[in-house]
Amino acid sequence: GENTWGCGFLSRFPIVEINRKVLPSPDGELACLIDARIYVDGQIVSVITTHFGNTEDELDRHLQTEALVDLIKNKKNNEATIVLGYLTTEPLSDNYNKLVLAASLLDTTEDDDRYCQYIFYRGETKKVAFYRNDAGLLSDTESQVGWFLPVTAYKEYEAHPIFSDMSVQQDSSRRLLKHTTKQSLEIP
């Protein structure tokens, strides 16, 4: 069916188009994918969120990776695309490499101690910042925050950076991403 349990998509930007699909899962649990196109500062950005099946099902993860790669390859090569994925695979594994190489994705971090959660991007978008709060032994117990800008806005950001010095400060209740302006981005 069309059940995409396990996936959700919220946006503060207008959603132009949204497509939901169940990924191939012949041996295991249903796996979902949501492909949304949002309107951000005059540019369409494709945001894909997905939740692959359990790790025990090699065939499922292989087929789910293939389906995600096919979806991304069918987009315009320079279309701003961000992929938020619970992929149940290790960095540099066959499925990871297939996704990164065949779909021309860039990873937000080079950390090799992840297993589940990933944020990738490609096309007319640039990564400004990435933050990962690891709360346990598996990366499904963490939060990740990525900040991206369209290429044209990124060029302006480089010329006049909003943040000239970024550091992470932690107190007992939350982490704060501090910078030299009077604002701070609270990360729960």
Side-chain angles (χ1 to χ4, degrees), residues 103-135:
S104 301
L105 292 174
L106 299 170
D107 199 339
T108 50
T109 181
E110 293 180 6
D111 292 350
D112 63 359
D113 63 340
R114 297 171 293 155
Y115 188 75
C116 298
Q117 295 185 27
Y118 295 85
I119 301 176
F120 299 102
Y121 63 102
R122 76 171 211 174
E124 292 290 315
T125 190
K126 292 282 190 180
K127 176 184 77 170
V128 175
F130 174 78
Y131 176 72
R132 180 175 175 226
N133 178 24
D134 186 8

Side-chain angles (χ1 to χ4, degrees), residues 5 7 23-33 50-65 86-89 95 115-116:
W5 61 270
C7 285
L23 296 172
S25 302
D27 290 337
E29 67 179 311
L30 292 177
C32 57
L33 181 141
T50 187
H51 189 294
F52 283 10
N54 288 329
T55 61
E56 293 84 13
D57 303 308
E58 289 270 338
L59 176 61
D60 286 4
R61 286 184 289 135
H62 171 75
L63 294 173
Q64 292 158 10
T65 300
Y86 186 96
L87 303 179
T88 57
T89 193
N95 286 333
Y115 188 75
C116 298

